[in-house]
Amino acid sequence: MVQQTKYNKVKEEIKKWINSGKVKPGEKIHSENELVKIFGVSRHTIRQAIGDLVHDGWLYREQGAGTFCSNRLIQTHPQGSAAAVSKNIGVITTYISDYIFPSIIKGIESYLAENGYSLTLSCTDNNVEKEGQCLQSMLSRNIDGLIVEPTKSSSYNPNINYFLQMEQKNIPYLMINQFYSQLMPPHIIVDDEKGGLIATEHLIKLGHEKIVGIFKSDDLQGVNRMKGFIKAFRENNTTFFPEMILTFSTEEQESNLKEKVKNFLESFDTMPTGIICYNDQIALSVMNVLRELQLSVPNDVSIVGYDDSYLAEATEVQLTSVTHPKMEMGREAAKWIVSAVENKHIKEPPPKSIVYEPELVIRNSTSSLYIANNNI
């Protein structure tokens, strides 16, 4: 008989806590230090076990708050065995544990809990193969509906067949943040092209002419924000200049993006005075590069982020950023999927897709070019 690994023992014991009700949905679990003492194993073992449980949807993390029990709504049968309730919604995101995703998930969970639905959560790490595995897993669990954030949405997705299977089985699904154009599915998104437009127009109206954009190229959000960036130059009769756009992939973001940004900025004879960033995470990385180049924000360079995340106010120079509804999007997605599940046998069209209008929140990472020049 194969001996069970230490981290599997930890995983199974925490699952027992959840199934038995010792840890209830929404409750925070023990800290890493406490779990190390309880199980008598290394911190690495605990992290490995918790990571797997987060990936499998048993737990979720909130930035700066800790790790919590997901709302799986476990019921106990008369014989004492545990099983999830039948009304089960699957949620697949690209990431779970950082940035804006905990807020989206919290919005989904809160609505599902209010309406007696359980939640099965998994993430793809923006990896197409992992997305296929997640979709297979969701189908095997006999989910009633699925909310999914597409993986690498700017190109053809090889997992389309799983979504077609769901349509054959009359399982409603909804895409958030973006959607696969091949399917044209119901979706809840932000108008990212307009977001890129208003971010760039803000700098143009402040007098900036040499503005660069840094965008992710394998997600449709980044492509659409780039379209808005280019559109702003055209609509405001502002001259384009060579090499005004830097693109990066998911893999580059995880490895050498900072070095790529630094090389990009150092390639200019005259430093750009404005930078539009794919999101707030990238904006903070760019600000760190600018510090290394001994440039200040906004005196030397004005920066605009995207998503209006907690990161926008996490540094001394607070970030001008385009809004993302986050929690509201999560609740609306859950509301949409519950309605679709409960009315799928009625011959009526599903609820309509939703496109949020973005707004710009202006903070002190941007300033007039003329004011900046006078401060030099």
Side-chain angles (χ1 to χ4, degrees), residues 129-364:
E129 288 184 6
K130 285 187 179 178
E131 183 193 51
Q133 294 166 6
C134 291
L135 288 165
Q136 279 184 314
S137 176
M138 291 295 178
L139 284 166
S140 69
R141 291 170 185 251
N142 295 318
I143 55 169
D144 295 290
L146 178 68
I147 299 169
V148 58
E149 181 184 40
T151 290
K152 295 193 175 181
S153 53
S154 67
S155 58
Y156 174 74
N157 185 278
N159 298 316
I160 296 298
N161 61 310
Y162 293 114
F163 295 102
L164 297 177
Q165 282 182 48
M166 281 188 276
E167 291 184 24
Q168 286 181 335
K169 294 180 178 182
N170 201 22
I171 300 171
Y173 65 88
L174 170 74
M175 294 191 180
I176 59 172
N177 282 329
Q178 263 314 322
F179 58 89
Y180 295 131
S181 57
Q182 302 94 333
L183 291 169
M184 287 303 294
H187 52 268
I188 299 180
I189 63 172
V190 176
D191 186 342
D192 285 306
E193 183 176 326
K194 183 173 181 180
L197 173 71
I198 62 176
T200 311
E201 280 190 337
H202 170 65
L203 292 187
I204 291 172
K205 288 174 181 176
L206 288 174
H208 296 271
E209 294 181 353
K210 195 167 186 179
I211 305 166
V212 298
I214 301 175
F215 301 102
K216 197 172 187 180
S217 58
D218 55 6
D219 283 336
L220 207 51
Q221 293 102 308
V223 172
N224 286 336
R225 291 168 195 178
M226 188 193 310
K227 284 170 66 177
F229 172 79
I230 294 169
K231 187 176 182 180
F233 280 81
R234 290 175 176 157
E235 291 192 353
N236 289 273
N237 296 315
T238 303
T239 306
F240 291 100
F241 61 92
E243 298 177 350
M244 61 189 293
I245 294 173
L246 175 70
T247 62
F248 64 93
S249 65
T250 297
E251 290 73 24
E252 286 175 315
Q253 182 176 351
E254 294 168 355
S255 57
N256 65 341
L257 180 59
K258 187 176 177 182
E259 181 182 349
K260 188 174 182 178
V261 170
K262 188 174 183 181
N263 291 337
F264 174 67
L265 293 177
E266 287 180 327
S267 70
F268 292 99
D269 294 330
T270 305
M271 183 64 62
T273 63
I275 303 176
I276 305 297
C277 297
Y278 167 70
N279 64 16
D280 295 344
Q281 278 183 321
I282 301 305
L284 261 61
S285 294
V286 172
M287 288 169 73
N288 289 332
V289 170
L290 290 171
R291 288 191 195 99
E292 291 179 13
L293 297 175
Q294 298 185 328
L295 296 168
S296 69
V297 176
N299 289 339
D300 297 311
V301 183
S302 288
I303 295 184
V304 182
Y306 203 111
D307 291 329
D308 194 28
S309 68
Y310 72 95
L311 295 175
E313 298 183 275
T315 61
E316 184 178 343
V317 178
Q318 296 187 348
L319 193 61
T320 296
S321 186
V322 179
T323 57
H324 185 292
K326 297 182 275 292
M327 183 88 75
E328 182 185 349
M329 177 182 278
R331 282 191 65 86
E332 283 298 322
K335 184 178 179 181
W336 190 102
I337 203 70
V338 166
S339 175
V341 167
E342 295 184 354
N343 294 291
K344 67 181 180 180
H345 299 299
I346 301 173
K347 291 185 178 180
E348 290 182 4
K352 291 183 179 180
S353 297
I354 298 171
V355 180
Y356 290 104
E357 287 286 307
E359 297 178 0
L360 189 68
V361 179
I362 299 172
R363 300 188 179 91
N364 60 6

